[in-house]
């Protein structure tokens, strides 16, 4: 295989990896991406107010806000700090270096340009922007609609998160629902909780756990074990929008072709958002 072919192969695997993680991120507007138990220091029981909001109208407002964020996100530039994920079963495998990129939106939705700024805390000089494109197939549901379609949501309780009232929503796969997108198919493999800012109707945190083993690379490269966990955090970016600020994926598995154990501790942080 020539150099161009190897680059396409690596790029394809990288895109597939982020599709896996971003599908979890799509659970919130999420609903890639790309959960873990909440910290007792972060979450506390709410006061004795048992009156929960009307489920139908509450979830409709949350979904509309998530869809709006999904539409508007391409208008923002940002920096991204992430752990590199190595997926060659005969070479490097697992998580490795930490890199920082500057990401700017392209001339059309779905197109971004990424420029490497740092590797393991050291500046990278004279790096060139790389074009990335996410295509949407015509005639299919959006990833947001497809993810919502394959999951059941239920308002569960009220808690206080960092001094703000939050509604906790449970989600689980919907029986008989058929997914049309890869994100939707991945969403069906998870169950978990969503913390929603009650006043803003915005998702603050998502925690999801895999109900079964997860295949990677069409089941030929690796399989992550049941119980793999994803944590997503969203925050208010400005007076117009809430966007994701971090996602973590943690799990154990096995690389099938090389018969090697696989441990993934992958994280991405998004910061320094700038509206373009």
């Amino acid at each position: 295989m020539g150099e161009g072919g190897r680059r396409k192969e690596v790029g394809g695997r990288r895109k597939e990896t982020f599709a896996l993680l971003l599908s979890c991120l799509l659970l919130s507007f999420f609903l890639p991406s790309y959960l873990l138990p909440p910290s007792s220091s972060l979450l506390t029981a709410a006061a004795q107010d048992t009156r929960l909001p009307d489920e139908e109208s509450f979830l409709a407002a949350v979904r509309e806000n998530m869809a709006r964020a999904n539409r508007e996100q391409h208008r923002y530039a940002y920096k991204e700090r992430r752990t590199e994920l190595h997926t060659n079963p005969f070479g490097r495998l697992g998580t490795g270096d930490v890199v920082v990129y500057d990401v700017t939106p392209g001339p059309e939705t779905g197109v971004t340009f990424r420029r490497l700024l740092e590797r393991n805390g050291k500046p990278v000089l004279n790096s060139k922007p790389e074009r990335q494109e996410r295509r949407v197939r015509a005639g299919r549901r959006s990833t947001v609609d497809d993810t919502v379609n394959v999951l059941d949501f239920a308002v569960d309780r009220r808690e206080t998160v960092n001094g703000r009232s939050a509604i906790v929503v449970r989600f689980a796969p919907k029986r008989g629902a058929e997914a049309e997108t890869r994100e939707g198919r991945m969403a069906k493999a998870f169950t978990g909780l969503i913390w929603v800012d009650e006043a803003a109707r915005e998702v603050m945190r998502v925690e999801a756990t895999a109900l079964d083993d997860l295949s990677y690379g069409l089941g030929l490269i690796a399989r992550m074990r049941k119980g793999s966990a994803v944590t997503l955090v969203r925050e208010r970016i400005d007076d117009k929008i809430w966007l994701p600020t971090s996602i973590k994926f943690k799990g154990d598995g096995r690389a099938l072709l090389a018969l090697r154990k696989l441990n993934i501790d992958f994280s991405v942080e998004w910061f320094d958002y700038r509206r373009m």
Side-chain angles (χ1 to χ4, degrees):
M1 182 183 297
E3 182 65 25
R6 281 194 293 271
R7 288 181 179 176
K8 288 183 179 179
E9 181 180 6
V10 172
R13 289 177 180 172
R14 188 172 297 164
K15 288 179 181 178
E16 188 173 33
T17 297
F18 277 97
L20 169 69
L21 298 170
L22 290 178
S23 66
C24 304
L25 184 53
L26 282 170
L27 290 173
S28 80
F29 29 8
F30 35 4
L31 265 251
S33 148
Y34 32 266
L35 310 212
L36 302 174
S39 167
S40 58
S41 63
L42 180 66
L43 306 180
T44 60
Q48 299 298 318
D49 183 358
T50 59
R51 295 171 299 173
L52 295 174
D54 174 72
E55 184 170 297
E56 183 176 353
S57 60
F58 180 78
L59 294 179
V62 173
R63 180 177 177 180
E64 174 57 32
N65 282 337
M66 296 302 96
R68 180 174 58 85
N70 196 30
R71 293 192 301 268
E72 293 294 319
Q73 187 169 6
H74 76 280
R75 301 180 186 276
Y76 287 79
Y78 54 90
K79 289 186 174 63
E80 176 185 289
R81 180 184 294 109
R82 66 177 174 86
T83 309
E84 286 193 323
L85 187 60
H86 305 296
T87 58
N88 182 350
F90 299 107
R92 302 180 70 185
L93 192 65
T95 47
D97 296 348
V98 176
V99 293
V100 177
Y101 286 93
D102 186 67
V103 184
T104 56
E108 56 190 274
T109 302
V111 175
T112 58
F113 292 90
R114 299 161 57 87
R115 182 169 63 88
L116 182 62
L117 300 179
E118 297 179 11
R119 181 178 296 277
N120 295 328
K122 297 180 179 180
V124 175
L125 304 178
N126 302 321
S127 63
K128 297 181 179 180
E130 296 182 0
R131 177 188 171 101
Q132 291 196 330
E133 183 173 354
R134 184 182 181 188
R135 297 183 180 181
V136 178
R137 296 184 182 181
R140 288 192 171 188
R141 299 188 192 109
S142 72
T143 52
V144 176
D145 289 339
D146 198 39
T147 299
V148 171
N149 183 66
V150 300
L151 296 174
D152 274 327
F153 299 87
V155 171
D156 185 73
R157 62 185 184 272
R158 179 181 284 106
E159 292 183 349
T160 300
V161 182
N162 292 337
R164 294 184 63 85
S165 177
I167 299 299
V168 182
V169 179
R170 292 187 177 274
F171 65 89
K174 183 186 297 182
R175 288 188 178 182
E178 295 294 333
E180 294 185 3
T181 65
R182 176 161 42 184
E183 290 80 2
R185 289 189 292 273
M186 185 59 63
K188 287 188 66 176
F190 284 88
T191 185
L193 301 172
I194 302 173
W195 279 261
V196 181
D197 186 294
E198 187 170 8
R201 300 299 202 258
E202 290 280 4
V203 170
M204 309 166 72
R205 182 181 180 94
V206 181
E207 302 186 354
T209 303
L211 292 167
D212 205 345
D213 291 353
L214 304 174
S215 295
Y216 171 75
L218 302 178
L220 299 177
I221 294 179
R223 183 177 294 276
M224 302 302 297
R225 293 193 182 95
K226 174 182 177 180
S228 295
V230 181
T231 303
L232 167 74
V233 175
R234 294 176 78 251
E235 299 179 50
R236 184 189 297 274
I237 300 304
D238 55 30
D239 60 348
K240 298 179 181 295
I241 197 170
W242 288 53
L243 290 174
T245 54
S246 70
I247 188 170
K248 296 181 181 180
F249 181 91
K250 194 169 186 178
D252 299 316
R254 182 172 296 276
L256 303 182
L257 298 181
L259 300 178
R260 294 165 55 188
K261 290 183 179 180
L262 178 62
N263 181 270
I264 296 296
D265 190 356
F266 181 93
S267 65
V268 182
E269 296 174 85
W270 297 279
F271 59 101
D272 192 18
Y273 278 101
R274 296 100 64 196
R275 186 174 177 85
M276 304 298 288

